[in-house]
Amino acid sequence: VRYRIRRYTMAGKNKDASLNKRAFTSGFFFILAQLFARGLTFAVTPIYSRLLTKAQYGVVRTYESWLLIAYTIMSLCLWRSVDVAKKDFEDDYNGYVSSVHTLSYIAIAFFFGLCMIFKTQVQDFCQMDDLMFYTCFLYVFTYTSMLYVQRRDKQVLKYKFSTMATLLTIVPGTFLSIWLIYRGRVQGLIGQLVDRRVIGYYVPQIIGGAVVAIVIWTQGKKFINLKYWKYGLAFSLPLIPEALSIQIMNQSDKIMIQKMISKEAAGVFAIATTISFIIWILEDSVWNAWIPWLYAKIGEGAEKEVAKPWISVMHMFGILSWILVMLAPEEILILGGAKYKMAVWLIAPMVSGTLFRFYSYSYSALQNYYKRTQYVAAGTIGTMVLNVILNYVCILNFGYMAAAYTTAFSYIILLLVQGILEHKITGMVIVPLHKTVLIAIAYGAINLLSMNLYRVAWYYRYAVMILVVGAAAIALRKQMMAVLKMFKKK
């Protein structure tokens, strides 16, 4: 009997070890693929910013903003239900993904038909030509498929297909678009450079996304399942306003600057946004790897074990944001050159706003876990409305740079709202709100004050940065090693 118990115990431990290893491997490759795909976009920014004029670069980045808003609305955010459906439909998970994926395509087709009726008005409002208009819808269809497969594979602890699909669409698109733009400049076709970028960058992604869509349907073998549709809609529909609000907060500044100021100003603002995109990439990648562990702890009733490692992660990203602020003059020079030098004064508020957004995740996550998504949406919508109003008033009165500060302010409000809602709705608190707010304000103030160092010689900035980073590394070394060890175990 003892032998059987021992053998059963060892088998259980081996099974858990195998599961942990697969979870760590899939999480690692998920982060790696996201970092590479998004990092490549950042890496080629210096090429785009020099091949395109400031106005053209502003148009390209504003078009990207419209795409992000479009897929959020048109897909009905149903792909977000894939995370929670794994627990409820484990026996037919691929079938669930396949069926709800079909519903997203039906919704996108509906929006496409609606926009075709008002095609002239939509194109005028969004400042798109025919190529950009039709490419937008094809991209929304196929990018939605990519979102489904990424989230599905993350939940089933697989990584190879989604990683390869991501890389084999982003990499060819990036280099093809650069080649087409370069050839256009050589041939004197300056007026066609934006269209060449659209064709080169998005067509490979559209083709790859179409292949992924076929794979999803082939593996799931379900196109219509009303039970799955009802489940997906119940979870995701309340999230649309929240997801849309986040995208509007992230993208409305460039759109409003292009409409209210100029395409050139939108280009300068977009270059600065690229810097904040660095920390955004890392934050989202870490958060996507963090969520399974967080939800496991909530399921075990061990919420108290979350606060300490999460605060360490908050400090890590706070220091990273400060490093980006300290290096802003060099970053702008590399990314855009002298013609974008005014963007240096936008980095501190933009990076701080991104940091505040990341800090708010720990509060909205608990509401999402308990499917109280309507409350997450309510807080985010209110903050978005505030942000748009502040953007309009402040851009009108203080110029386009004010948009960076209004967005940062809006994100700190979002942090407060989500923190208050978490406690009121669930009766639990993962991280005390006062601690999070103090950390956020501290790093925000440090980032803004550090802009004064742009006026001194570069070596003074570097000396301060090296001293502070060295001290922080020593102070936080044990905490960060504990976080990394925790990730590896879970």
Side-chain angles (χ1 to χ4, degrees), residues 180-197:
L180 288 176
I181 294 170
Y182 173 75
R183 291 298 302 166
R185 287 185 66 91
V186 171
Q187 296 168 8
L189 306 173
I190 303 300
Q192 298 180 12
L193 298 186
V194 171
D195 284 349
R196 283 171 170 261
R197 201 272 181 177

Side-chain angles (χ1 to χ4, degrees), residues 6 9 48 69 100 172-173 188 204 232 317 368 377 416 421 430:
R6 189 182 306 113
T9 303
Y48 285 133
I69 292 171
V100 178
F317 278 100
N368 286 333
L416 287 167
L421 283 174
I430 291 179

Side-chain angles (χ1 to χ4, degrees), residues 382-397:
T383 309
M384 178 272 293
V385 172
L386 173 66
N387 179 240
V388 171
I389 293 172
L390 288 175
N391 273 350
Y392 180 80
V393 172
C394 293
I395 290 172
L396 203 61
N397 289 280

Side-chain angles (χ1 to χ4, degrees), residues 287 290 294-295 298 303-308 310-311 361-363 365-366 422 426 428-433 436:
W287 180 251
W290 179 277
L294 172 64
Y295 284 175
I298 296 173
E303 294 88 353
K304 292 182 179 180
E305 297 179 21
V306 174
K308 189 174 180 179
W310 177 247
I311 289 174
Y361 284 176
S362 66
Y363 301 110
L366 198 58
E422 179 196 57
T426 66
M428 292 186 292
V429 174
I430 291 179
V431 181
L433 183 59
T436 303

Side-chain angles (χ1 to χ4, degrees), residues 88-364:
D88 295 327
F89 303 108
E90 189 168 2
D91 293 337
D92 189 29
Y93 188 49
N94 281 343
Y96 175 86
V97 174
S98 174
S99 174
V100 178
H101 175 254
T102 302
L103 183 57
S104 279
Y105 266 49
I106 293 171
I108 296 167
F110 169 80
F111 280 108
F112 176 63
L114 192 64
C115 288
M116 283 297 294
I117 297 173
F118 303 99
K119 181 172 178 285
T120 302
Q121 293 86 343
V122 171
Q123 285 185 277
D124 289 344
F125 182 75
C126 298
Q127 299 182 354
M128 295 182 189
D129 57 23
D130 281 347
L131 173 67
M132 297 168 78
F133 178 81
Y134 291 113
T135 300
C136 171
F137 284 97
L138 289 173
Y139 177 76
V140 169
F141 274 112
T142 53
Y143 183 66
T144 297
S145 299
M146 294 294 293
L147 291 171
Y148 271 99
V149 80
Q150 287 172 355
R151 287 179 175 251
R152 183 199 68 179
D153 286 5
K154 185 179 67 174
Q155 290 300 317
V156 297
L157 306 181
K158 295 181 179 178
Y159 61 89
K160 291 182 181 178
F161 179 72
S162 60
T163 299
M164 293 305 297
T166 301
L167 299 182
L168 291 177
T169 54
I170 294 290
V171 175
T174 300
F175 289 105
L176 178 59
S177 65
I178 291 172
W179 183 79
L180 288 176
I181 294 170
Y182 173 75
R183 291 298 302 166
R185 287 185 66 91
V186 171
Q187 296 168 8
L189 306 173
I190 303 300
Q192 298 180 12
L193 298 186
V194 171
D195 284 349
R196 283 171 170 261
R197 201 272 181 177
V198 170
I199 293 171
Y201 189 69
Y202 292 109
V203 168
Q205 295 188 61
I206 290 169
I207 295 171
V211 173
V212 168
I214 294 171
V215 171
I216 289 173
W217 281 317
T218 301
Q219 293 177 340
K221 299 180 175 62
K222 281 189 174 67
F223 290 91
I224 297 172
N225 186 304
L226 297 182
K227 176 184 176 182
Y228 294 164
W229 286 11
K230 183 179 179 181
Y231 179 94
L233 288 169
F235 179 84
S236 297
L237 283 182
L239 287 175
I240 293 177
E242 181 250 350
L244 179 60
S245 298
I246 288 291
Q247 290 294 359
I248 290 176
M249 284 180 67
N250 295 338
Q251 312 303 330
S252 64
D253 40 25
K254 291 190 286 293
I255 294 171
M256 294 176 75
I257 288 168
Q258 178 173 313
K259 286 182 171 292
M260 295 173 65
I261 308 295
S262 66
K263 293 177 181 177
E264 288 79 6
V268 173
F269 198 89
I271 281 286
T273 304
T274 305
I275 304 297
S276 65
F277 194 51
I278 301 172
I279 193 170
W280 195 317
I281 292 169
L282 294 172
E283 287 169 350
D284 278 4
S285 298
V286 168
W287 180 251
N288 282 322
W290 179 277
I291 269 200
W293 178 85
L294 172 64
Y295 284 175
K297 285 296 179 185
I298 296 173
E300 295 167 4
E303 294 88 353
K304 292 182 179 180
E305 297 179 21
V306 174
K308 189 174 180 179
W310 177 247
I311 289 174
S312 297
V313 172
M314 289 170 65
H315 282 301
M316 180 182 73
F317 278 100
I319 293 167
L320 178 59
S321 74
W322 178 73
I323 293 172
L324 291 177
V325 171
M326 291 290 282
L327 295 174
E330 290 76 20
E331 292 160 353
I332 295 300
L333 185 63
I334 293 169
L335 287 179
K339 64 182 178 181
Y340 291 97
K341 63 181 180 181
M342 290 302 294
V344 72
W345 303 105
L346 295 167
I347 304 303
M350 281 187 175
V351 167
S352 298
T354 303
L355 188 68
F356 303 155
R357 166 184 171 269
F358 178 60
Y359 287 174
S360 72
Y361 284 176
S362 66
Y363 301 110
S364 59

